[in-house]
């Protein structure tokens, strides 16, 4: 059964071409990463050692914002600028990598950080695969 993202891409009058699966996967991974980073930041704030987790909260919030911006841009299919999309995906992949690295520092003590790191890595991969296709 197609996802909602796939259905919207399929029904767009401008289409997506042969990249529908990559675009849809990237949008869905970006949404999942934004949610994971938001939840992880909030969970970090609830921890006893919250003061030690300030860098994690900060990169979580920044990564969530960058992922949301990227998913919005990728969802707009009219007058697509591949060069700008590629640049945004590159920045997003860098944020996801940095966020995953920061969360891994705390993963042994905070399960939410381990989950967030895994989600960030999946998002980084989806962004990288779409960037390669864009050229």
């Amino acid at each position: 059964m197609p996802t909602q993202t796939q259905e919207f891409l399929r029904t767009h009058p401008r289409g997506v071409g042969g990249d529908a699966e990559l675009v849809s996967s990237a949008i869905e991974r970006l949404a999942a990463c934004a949610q994971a980073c938001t939840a992880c930041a909030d969970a970090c704030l609830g921890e006893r050692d919250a003061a030690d987790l300030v860098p994690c909260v900060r990169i979580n919030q920044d990564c969530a914002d960058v992922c949301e911006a990227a998913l919005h841009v990728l969802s707009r299919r009219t007058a697509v600028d591949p060069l700008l999309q590629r640049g945004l995906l590159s920045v997003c992949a860098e944020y996801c990598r940095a966020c995953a690295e920061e969360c891994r520092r705390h993963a042994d003590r905070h399960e939410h950080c381990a989950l967030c790191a895994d989600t960030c890595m999946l998002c980084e991969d989806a962004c990288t695969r779409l960037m390669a296709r864009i050229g």
Side-chain angles (χ1 to χ4, degrees):
M1 175 175 225
T3 66
Q4 184 179 30
T5 303
Q6 291 167 335
E7 286 297 304
F8 273 102
L9 292 174
R10 182 186 63 76
T11 61
H12 195 284
R14 300 287 171 103
V16 182
D19 297 334
E21 186 176 322
L22 284 175
V23 172
S24 143
S25 176
I27 290 170
E28 291 167 0
R29 293 288 184 197
L30 288 161
C33 192
Q35 187 279 325
C37 288
T38 299
C40 187
D42 185 67
C44 285
L45 291 172
E47 295 288 352
R48 289 182 196 176
D49 59 343
D52 296 333
L53 296 170
V54 169
C56 193
V57 171
R58 175 57 192 254
I59 192 69
N60 275 191
Q61 290 175 329
D62 290 350
C63 188
D65 289 345
V66 171
C67 286
E68 285 183 8
L71 80 87
H72 289 233
V73 169
L74 287 179
S75 295
R76 298 180 191 121
R77 304 310 307 161
T78 303
V80 171
D81 185 325
L83 184 62
L84 291 175
Q85 282 190 352
R86 191 175 195 295
L88 182 57
L89 288 167
S90 176
V91 168
C92 193
E94 289 179 41
Y95 267 92
C96 288
R97 187 176 320 111
C99 191
E101 287 174 7
E102 179 61 32
C103 281
R104 288 267 180 250
R105 290 187 183 115
H106 316 286
D108 60 329
R109 294 184 322 270
H110 306 296
E111 188 177 3
H112 54 84
C113 285
L115 293 169
C116 187
D118 291 345
T119 305
C120 286
M121 295 306 297
L122 290 171
C123 189
E124 178 191 6
D125 179 65
C127 290
T128 301
R129 285 187 293 119
L130 184 54
M131 276 190 305
R133 178 69 177 189
I134 291 172

